[in-house]
Amino acid sequence: MPHWSRESWRSKRAAHQPAYASEADLSRTGEELSSLPPLVTSWEVEALKAQLAEAAQGKRFLLQGGDCAEQFDECTAGAITNKLKILLQMSLVLVQGSHRPVIRVGRFAGQYAKPRSEEFETREATTLPSYRGDLVNRTGFTGVERAPDPQLLLRAYERSALTLNFIRALVKGGFADLHHPEYWDLDFAQHSPLAAEYHSLARRVVEALQFMENIAGVRTGEMEWVDFFTSHEGLHLIYEEAQTRRAPGGENWYNLSTHFPWIGMRTADPDGAHVEYFRGIANPIGVKVGPGMTGNLLTQLLERLHPHDEPGRLTLIYRFGHKKISECLPRLIEAVRSAGKSVLWCCDPMHGNTRYTADGTKTRHFDEILSELEQAFAIHGQCGSYLGGVHFELTGDDVTECLGGARNLGDSDLKRAYRSEVDPRLNYEQALEMALLIARMMGRTNAAKNDAVV
Ligand code: PEP
Ligand code: CO
């Protein structure tokens, strides 16, 4: 392998990087970011890697979710708490269904940069750079707001630190205590058609916990609170490089802006700058793969990113769409098997199922998302591999961005509360319903395995 350094990606083609007016300003900001403290530690990163290694073997299940793009304006106590609440509620449901510990990873505290299919956006006679996430520019349609601004790298780092600080304080203070799932109830969810099913399940978990504690005669230490890890797409390489540090006294380099960065589908070129950067960091990493990923390309990615087959190192987050998964997934499972590598398979049923309504609103339908997931479980069952996680775009808020679900949202409902600037998210109820349905699927898989053993 050629020599790697924090900067070696700079000699490769870096797709989806903004064009800044002043390279000097950008590099000054990069230096400032490098001098600021890291957001996470290498011990946490290694702890997550160990958990992901167990998920790859079927001993844990990964739940990864959050906004498509975080927004600076939504860095509020309410929005952050709601995101934690929905992830906690979903994970409780998944623990019940899978009979395994669930690893909770948020798409937060750094999910501020977006790849865009169009470099420019035109409205009437005006053409301006596309919005690329709050890390890069602003949503408003003026030249000033759309100009990439290096100062936003610092603002994004600060917002990420504020988010993480609040999450850590909530978790440490007992908010995530499994004995008290009532802390996670959302006011507007009381009237949800799913409330009763969720509450009876939560009661069963608390009872099971108390039962175990009565038997053991101690309060269950490790289970009193649950970990939260962070993840984001490692897209903006100046930002990622600036937070890349060597662990004290160690040889390894870590990206300490997040525990679990991933390479987006549009930047997963084996010869590109993103793969070059990611190959040298010791974090567990994800790679998004879609219908264009061939067995041959995947083999090259495995050679570069996963040469030592280190447990927990690589998660393949696939997003084919409900119509293509049956054709695409088996060939990638086969490619990984022939390469003799082990990976964690994670299904992102959102990004392959994006569509537009008649008036041009970007949306996704609950039933198509569910269909991709159902097929994913079935295909892994047939291929003898294991679906170890799911990846969702969701929010704890009461938005109307995706169609269908328990309240059967239709095209005309989308106008009511469409708040995403980029991709449509499952709202609170749709996300919880999805978790209940996945738990059922996993329950069936467990039952089938037990029958086979008997
Ligand atoms: C995303 O996760 O928001 C995204 C851009 O996904 P993908 O790289 O899979 O298209
Ligand atoms: Co998205």
Side-chain angles (χ1 to χ4, degrees):
M1 282 276 186
H3 175 71
W4 179 91
S5 74
R6 276 189 349 151
E7 301 91 26
S8 55
W9 63 268
R10 290 170 184 254
S11 65
K12 308 265 178 178
R13 196 183 85 84
H16 292 275
Q17 305 302 293
Y20 288 90
S22 158
E23 280 298 317
D25 281 354
L26 179 63
S27 73
R28 253 195 310 279
T29 314
E31 276 161 32
E32 191 176 341
L33 258 181
S34 305
S35 69
L36 293 166
L39 298 178
V40 303
T41 66
S42 56
W43 298 288
E44 294 168 343
V45 171
E46 287 296 336
L48 173 62
K49 204 195 285 171
Q51 292 191 16
L52 293 172
E54 291 186 2
Q57 295 170 351
K59 297 185 189 146
R60 289 181 188 262
F61 194 75
L62 167 68
L63 169 64
Q64 190 176 17
D67 301 311
C68 180
E70 287 176 287
Q71 289 168 243
F72 290 175
D73 291 350
E74 301 236 323
C75 181
T76 63
I80 296 168
T81 320
N82 283 358
K83 256 179 265 185
L84 285 200
K85 284 178 177 178
I86 181 60
L87 286 175
L88 282 163
Q89 291 197 342
M90 289 175 82
S91 67
L92 194 68
V93 170
L94 293 174
V95 165
Q96 257 272 333
S98 68
H99 299 169
R100 295 178 184 99
V102 170
I103 312 169
R104 295 157 203 85
V105 177
R107 279 175 70 114
F108 50 47
Q111 177 53 22
Y112 286 115
K114 298 306 300 172
R116 299 314 302 264
S117 27
E118 302 297 333
E119 187 92 4
F120 295 98
E121 181 180 343
T122 301
R123 292 191 198 170
E124 288 158 13
T126 314
T127 297
L128 293 172
S130 295
Y131 169 65
R132 288 179 174 273
D134 284 3
L135 187 91
V136 174
N137 56 5
R138 311 309 304 249
T139 50
F141 198 69
T142 64
V144 172
E145 286 161 298
R146 288 295 172 91
D149 176 1
Q151 285 299 309
L152 296 176
L153 299 179
L154 292 166
R155 301 292 88 77
Y157 162 83
E158 290 153 6
R159 288 290 201 285
S160 302
L162 296 173
T163 304
L164 205 46
N165 180 55
F166 187 47
I167 292 171
R168 289 191 195 281
L170 282 172
V171 171
K172 185 136 198 306
F175 177 78
D177 185 343
L178 281 178
H179 297 82
H180 294 286
E182 71 276 11
Y183 294 168
W184 318 333
D185 280 342
L186 290 135
D187 294 340
F188 58 79
Q190 281 159 12
H191 307 292
S192 161
L194 304 165
E197 186 173 352
Y198 168 73
H199 283 124
S200 98
L201 189 144
R203 245 189 331 273
R204 288 204 299 277
V205 171
V206 175
E207 278 164 16
L209 208 58
Q210 281 162 353
F211 175 75
M212 272 163 48
E213 289 173 349
N214 292 341
I215 300 246
V218 283
R219 206 175 140 91
T220 342
E222 206 204 335
M223 288 174 70
E224 274 176 36
W225 58 277
V226 285
D227 288 314
F228 265 101
F229 296 99
T230 66
S231 65
H232 66 248
E233 178 173 349
L235 180 68
H236 194 298
L237 290 172
I238 299 277
Y239 182 80
E240 305 302 330
E241 179 195 308
Q243 285 278 311
T244 304
R245 317 276 160 92
R246 206 164 216 167
E251 286 294 302
N252 285 341
W253 290 88
Y254 290 89
N255 179 335
L256 296 181
S257 71
T258 187
H259 301 110
F260 186 24
W262 77 82
I263 304 180
M265 192 187 73
R266 283 170 254 201
T267 48
D269 169 7
D271 296 319
H274 290 80
V275 169
E276 173 61 20
Y277 168 76
F278 272 75
R279 85 177 165 90
I281 56 171
N283 301 56
I285 61 170
V287 182
K288 291 274 208 112
V289 294
M293 181 59 61
T294 59
N296 186 15
L297 274 173
L298 183 58
T299 309
Q300 291 178 46
L301 285 172
L302 291 170
E303 277 164 16
R304 279 167 213 187
L305 296 169
H306 197 29
H308 310 300
D309 200 23
E310 183 195 2
R313 158 72 172 170
L314 186 67
T315 299
L316 291 179
I317 308 168
Y318 57 80
R319 23 89 81 236
F320 299 119
H322 72 289
K323 291 202 184 119
K324 297 196 177 144
I325 181 170
S326 60
E327 175 203 328
C328 300
L329 179 56
R331 69 166 186 247
L332 296 194
I333 294 177
E334 189 42 46
V336 171
R337 191 165 284 150
S338 337
K341 300 277 157 80
S342 104
V343 301
L344 169 57
W345 293 104
C346 176
C347 176
D348 164 359
M350 308 298 290
H351 285 88
N353 292 308
T354 311
R355 49 151 137 148
Y356 291 85
T357 61
D359 72 0
T361 310
K362 201 177 193 185
T363 190
R364 292 159 174 159
H365 199 290
F366 189 93
D367 294 345
E368 294 177 355
I369 296 169
L370 184 63
S371 161
E372 182 161 3
L373 271 170
E374 279 169 345
Q375 295 180 65
F377 276 104
I379 294 167
H380 282 290
Q382 285 150 16
C383 295
S385 52
Y386 174 69
L387 177 58
V390 284
H391 182 118
F392 287 108
E393 287 186 342
L394 54 81
T395 165
D397 294 325
D398 198 10
V399 301
T400 55
E401 298 171 3
C402 289
L403 301 168
R407 280 180 210 256
N408 198 18
L409 297 184
D411 286 9
S412 59
D413 294 303
L414 298 185
K415 284 184 201 67
R416 195 149 30 88
Y418 197 107
R419 297 222 301 268
S420 173
E421 290 291 344
V422 200
D423 288 342
R425 303 161 293 178
L426 295 175
N427 66 20
Y428 163 77
E429 256 175 33
Q430 292 168 327
L432 187 60
E433 184 180 6
M434 197 57 82
L436 288 163
L437 293 169
I438 298 172
R440 252 180 238 167
M441 286 183 235
M442 289 200 288
R444 275 200 298 273
T445 312
N446 289 339
K449 277 206 192 106
N450 291 343
D451 285 352
V453 172
V454 171

